[in-house]
Amino acid sequence: NAGVTQTPKFQVLKTGQSMTLQCAQDMNHEYMSWYRQDPGMGLRLIHYSVGAGITDQGEVPNGYNVSRSTTEDFPLRLLSAAPSQTSVYFCASRNPGRDGYTFGSGTRLTVV
Amino acid sequence: DAKTTQPPSMDCAEGRAANLPCNHSTISGNEYVYWYRQIHSQGPQYIIHGLKNNETNEMASLIITEDRKSSTLILPHATLRDTAVYYCIVRVVGGSEKLVFGKGTKLTVNP
């Protein structure tokens, strides 16, 4: 199993550009989430999904869209990138119940 | 979900036990305590969780006080590779997925 795979690992965008951060998991996990982590801060939840076709907002959803058309994939879309979205983005997945999350290795995004 | 309080940093000698405390005085009866860690630049890693009984796995032990208002994560024989930020989180199983990661405890294991 590859676990949770995030692509790309690094990305530089210009202000106003759009892009999609990819996240795929091969563990058949129902739940998936996106977090961002800024220097000196803990992780903050952006969006999450409890199954295909079901998504909900987290703590900091503005400027981001998600969709969950399959169990395996949970892409995060930046509609119009802003410097404030410069961050490290982590995708995570788990099964319902008491299990903990498995996290990907992250995407480092810089918006200039 | 209940709020947690952790010391910002701790040091531990290699080979010794590392005891990381977490205060969760407002925890409710159906909230579990979860521990994650994040080694520099990597994604967080799940360590262990518990409700009220002490738990042990291959990575660590979790001791939860009888009143459940605090807990301690124990790494029995810390190694340099255990240097990381450790996060204590409480959540209701089956409740919101809105996990709140605080700033955690930066554990430095010294040779």
Side-chain angles (χ1 to χ4, degrees):
Chain A
N1 288 348
V4 178
T5 302
Q6 292 185 237
T7 56
K9 293 190 182 302
F10 301 93
Q11 182 71 49
V12 179
L13 286 179
K14 293 182 178 179
T15 298
Q17 286 185 316
S18 62
M19 80 158 294
T20 299
L21 279 63
Q22 302 292 343
C23 176
Q25 53 92 8
D26 61 358
M27 298 171 285
N28 203 33
H29 285 172
E30 288 189 37
Y31 292 3
M32 297 186 75
S33 298
W34 276 102
Y35 288 85
R36 62 176 288 174
Q37 186 172 35
D38 302 304
M41 300 184 66
L43 286 83
R44 292 184 291 170
L45 181 65
I46 305 172
H47 285 285
Y48 64 96
S49 168
V50 297
I54 305 170
T55 64
D56 203 351
Q57 295 182 349
E59 185 182 357
V60 288
N62 293 340
Y64 307 95
N65 275 357
V66 292
S67 61
R68 184 93 179 273
S69 57
T70 67
T71 299
E72 295 78 19
D73 300 299
F74 190 42
L76 178 72
R77 298 183 187 84
L78 279 70
L79 308 174
S80 177
S84 61
Q85 294 178 305
T86 293
S87 189
V88 181
Y89 291 84
F90 291 102
C91 179
S93 72
R94 74 177 187 93
N95 274 324
R98 298 191 293 269
D99 287 356
Y101 270 100
T102 299
F103 282 80
S105 57
T107 294
R108 295 182 177 277
L109 176 68
T110 301
V111 183
V112 298
Chain B
D1 292 335
K3 181 179 178 179
T4 62
T5 304
Q6 299 177 253
S9 64
M10 294 184 63
D11 285 273
C12 177
E14 187 177 19
R16 304 296 293 269
N19 298 287
L20 292 92
C22 179
N23 180 285
H24 32 78
S25 58
T26 60
I27 193 170
S28 58
N30 59 350
E31 286 185 306
Y32 282 70
V33 180
Y34 284 78
W35 283 83
Y36 288 80
R37 72 180 181 183
Q38 187 173 24
I39 298 170
H40 181 62
S41 299
Q42 299 180 19
Q45 177 187 24
Y46 162 77
I47 301 172
I48 198 169
H49 72 273
L51 181 63
K52 55 183 179 181
N53 298 320
N54 297 339
E55 302 287 345
T56 296
N57 62 20
E58 65 278 5
M59 291 183 65
S61 295
L62 174 61
I63 308 298
I64 302 174
T65 58
E66 191 169 347
D67 64 7
R68 302 206 328 118
K69 292 185 177 182
S70 66
S71 60
T72 300
L73 179 75
I74 301 172
L75 308 178
H77 305 286
T79 71
L80 299 179
R81 289 176 294 181
D82 292 322
T83 292
V85 178
Y86 288 77
Y87 297 97
C88 168
I89 299 166
V90 296
R91 65 174 292 263
V92 176
V93 171
S96 170
E97 287 301 296
K98 295 181 182 181
L99 296 182
V100 177
F101 284 78
K103 295 188 177 181
T105 297
K106 175 63 187 296
L107 173 70
T108 301
V109 180
N110 300 305

